């Protein structure tokens, strides 16, 4: 499948200055519309001529979608807030350091300056075949090119795959799940608020989408409740190139301790499945336990139960076992694939 990277196909460009106007435009143009935030994912699709929307709704002029503010029970981050702003904001650094750590590990400084938090959690799969325009399941076809004996699937899923084995590539998503964030959506039927983990969907629900956004929907803000503010956090990302790269895997945990006893915990991993996974069984197994190497070891083993590797990604099983283990001990080790 040839990919042409010269000029983009023509579309109508709309630059609304309010959420109401943006939402109306999206509703009017339905499935022919495209929301553009920082454009890092959007322009890839448009310049490769693989997605061809008729109407582009650019959110960059909507001030109410930008910024980080205190709300009665926590903090609200506008969807158009850049990743750099998220990394640097004193309130996020002080109370929700898990999110600033995760955002700081996204790509490069230039990408973080332009990329938004809303775009980061709404970005599409990075599977080679899909991004190159091959007519696979996710693109509406009837085959998965990655899930074959010779398919390039080193980066792909080890859990919960159904026809499509692509993974969600966001670094901020697992941190937001661990922080129990809420995603605020503007829809044709009014405002809806989704728990972070329910914002993301897998192929079992809809193989063509990675989240609950449908034509006419807008993600307006992400709220961090105070419940996990100032908890003990752990974030780790493993990637091929440490300068900048998408995650081969990442893990995020938020923990409340009483002495050495784990009172409460939330753990999420990404790049192992089509959606970031909250590890509820692992959380249940360590809640009330002493935070010891043995507890962490058992948690790591539990996390990978049911994992099924593809031809070239068996390394992800010990990687996940060790990342989960370390998200409980809080100690980063040099070796991760033993
Ligand atoms: C070279 C490169 C390397 C990268 N490396 C990493 C990495 O290591 N880790 C990582 O996590 N990410 C990485 N990314 C992704 C990047 O961080 C961007 O955050 C992400 O691509 C999209 O953010 P954006 O603001 O540019 O959104 P856009 O590209 O404009 O939008 C992305 C998608 O989300 C939708 N969307 C965006 N905002 C909204 C909204 N408010 N409401 C409804 N829909 C919306 C758009 O329609 C589009 O489908 C990388 C990207 C590139 C190009
Ligand atoms: S993994 Fe998913 S996106 Fe990639 S080729 Fe298979 S169906 Fe397409």
């Amino acid at each position: 499948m040839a990919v042409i990277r010269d000029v983009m196909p023509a579309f109508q460009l709309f630059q609304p200055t309010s959420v109401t106007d943006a939402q109306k435009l999206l509703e009017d143009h339905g499935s022919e519309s495209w929301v553009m935030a920082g454009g890092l994912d959007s322009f890839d699709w448009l310049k490769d001529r693989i997605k061809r929307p008729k109407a582009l709704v650019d959110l960059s002029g909507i001030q109410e979608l930008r910024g980080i503010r205190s709300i009665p029970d926590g903090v609200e981050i506008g969807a158009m807030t850049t990743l750099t702003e998220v990394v640097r904001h004193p309130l996020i650094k002080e109370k929700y350091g898990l999110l600033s750590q995760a955002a700081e590990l996204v790509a490069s400084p230039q990408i973080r300056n332009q990329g938004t938090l809303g775009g980061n959690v709404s970005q599409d799969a990075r599977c080679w075949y899909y991004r190159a325009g091959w007519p696979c399941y996710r693109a509406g076809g009837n085959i998965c090119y990655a899930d074959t004996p010779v398919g390039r699937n080193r980066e792909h899923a080890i859990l919960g795959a159904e026809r499509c084995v692509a993974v969600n590539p966001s670094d901020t998503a697992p941190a937001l799940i661990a922080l129990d964030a809420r995603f605020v959506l503007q829809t044709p039927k009014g405002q809806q608020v989704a728990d972070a983990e329910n914002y993301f969907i897998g192929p079992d629900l809809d193989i063509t989408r990675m989240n609950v956004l449908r034509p006419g929907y807008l993600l307006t803000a992400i709220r961090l409740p105070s419940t996990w503010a100032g908890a003990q956090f752990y974030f780790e990302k493993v990637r091929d190139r440490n300068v900048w790269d998408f995650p081969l895997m990442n893990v995020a945990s938020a923990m409340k301790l009483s002495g050495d006893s784990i009172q409460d915990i939330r753990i999420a991993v990404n790049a192992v499945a089509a959606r970031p996974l909250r590890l509820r069984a692992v959380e249940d197994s360590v809640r009330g336990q002493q935070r010891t190497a043995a507890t962490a070891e058992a948690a790591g083993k539990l996390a990978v139960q049911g994992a099924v590797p593809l031809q070239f990604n068996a390394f992800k099983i010990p990687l996940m076992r060790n990342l989960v283990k370390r998200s409980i001990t809080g100690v980063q080790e040099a070796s991760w694939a033993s």
Side-chain angles (χ1 to χ4, degrees):
M1 184 74 48
V3 172
I4 306 164
R5 293 190 175 84
D6 46 9
V7 291
M8 290 181 277
F11 47 73
Q12 267 188 297
L13 174 66
F14 294 97
Q15 296 185 301
T17 54
S18 72
V19 168
T20 311
D21 286 353
Q23 213 268 316
K24 175 84 174 53
L25 283 162
L26 292 170
E27 219 176 316
D28 289 350
H29 293 273
S31 58
E32 304 222 301
S33 65
W34 184 277
V35 175
M36 195 179 72
L40 289 155
D41 204 6
S42 296
F43 280 122
D44 265 8
W45 285 122
L46 303 181
K47 293 181 101 175
D48 288 349
R49 299 180 177 204
I50 294 167
K51 308 271 185 188
R52 293 166 174 256
K54 296 268 190 309
L56 197 83
V57 180
D58 170 12
L59 305 182
S60 63
I62 307 181
Q63 282 312 312
E64 61 191 295
L65 289 178
R66 293 186 180 276
I68 298 173
R69 48 211 163 248
S70 291
I71 53 171
D73 183 37
V75 173
E76 184 174 89
I77 308 172
M80 285 297 288
T81 307
T82 66
L83 293 165
T84 299
E85 288 170 289
V86 171
V87 172
R88 293 189 181 157
H89 197 277
L91 196 54
I92 305 294
K93 263 190 175 167
E94 186 198 328
K95 294 195 169 162
Y96 304 96
L98 187 64
L99 179 60
S100 44
Q101 261 183 286
E104 192 161 22
L105 289 171
V106 170
S108 63
Q110 292 89 339
I111 289 170
R112 295 194 294 273
N113 288 343
Q114 177 67 18
T116 63
L117 185 60
N120 189 259
V121 293
S122 309
Q123 62 179 301
D124 209 342
R126 283 273 158 187
C127 172
W128 313 106
Y129 302 99
Y130 174 56
R131 301 298 294 209
W134 292 41
C136 66
Y137 283 130
R138 189 171 283 279
N142 63 0
I143 186 173
C144 172
Y145 299 95
D147 190 8
T148 65
V150 291
R152 289 183 65 188
N153 52 37
R154 192 172 157 271
E155 297 79 6
H156 289 64
I158 51 170
L159 282 162
E162 178 168 317
R163 291 173 294 150
C164 175
V165 294
V167 295
N168 182 299
S170 167
D171 280 315
T172 59
L176 290 166
I177 292 174
L179 290 168
D180 201 10
R182 306 287 142 82
F183 287 38
V184 185
L185 310 174
Q186 199 61 44
T187 81
K189 290 187 180 154
Q191 196 185 80
Q192 286 178 15
V193 180
D195 287 352
E197 59 183 309
N198 295 332
Y199 179 74
F200 303 96
I201 61 170
D204 51 332
L205 285 185
D206 185 344
I207 204 162
T208 63
R209 294 186 288 135
M210 302 206 92
N211 53 55
V212 296
L213 296 177
R214 292 164 177 273
Y217 280 47
L218 206 55
L219 172 65
T220 58
I222 293 178
R223 294 182 186 146
L224 306 179
S226 54
T227 333
W228 292 90
Q232 180 135 353
F233 299 131
Y234 187 87
F235 188 87
E236 188 174 350
K237 167 178 179 174
V238 172
R239 50 191 158 174
D240 279 328
R241 291 175 302 173
N242 273 337
V243 178
W244 60 271
D245 214 338
F246 282 97
L248 283 170
M249 200 178 294
N250 56 31
V251 68
S253 71
M255 205 184 309
K256 291 179 187 171
L257 292 162
S258 170
D260 270 345
S261 168
I262 301 170
Q263 285 200 311
D264 205 358
I265 185 164
R266 289 175 68 98
I267 311 179
V269 286
N270 208 3
V272 297
R275 48 183 296 192
L277 295 183
R278 180 174 170 201
L279 304 180
R280 283 175 186 271
V282 173
E283 293 170 7
D284 292 344
S285 78
V286 302
R287 202 174 284 116
Q289 303 291 315
Q290 291 293 300
R291 188 200 205 186
T292 60
T295 304
E297 188 75 41
K301 284 186 183 145
L302 181 61
V304 295
Q305 271 185 15
V308 181
L310 301 165
Q311 184 78 354
F312 298 111
N313 71 356
F315 74 96
K316 281 199 171 188
I317 295 180
L319 176 57
M320 178 168 169
R321 196 175 61 228
N322 283 323
L323 286 186
V324 169
K325 187 173 101 182
R326 277 150 36 188
S327 77
I328 290 164
T329 60
V331 180
Q332 201 157 326
E333 295 159 25
S335 148
W336 48 265
S338 58

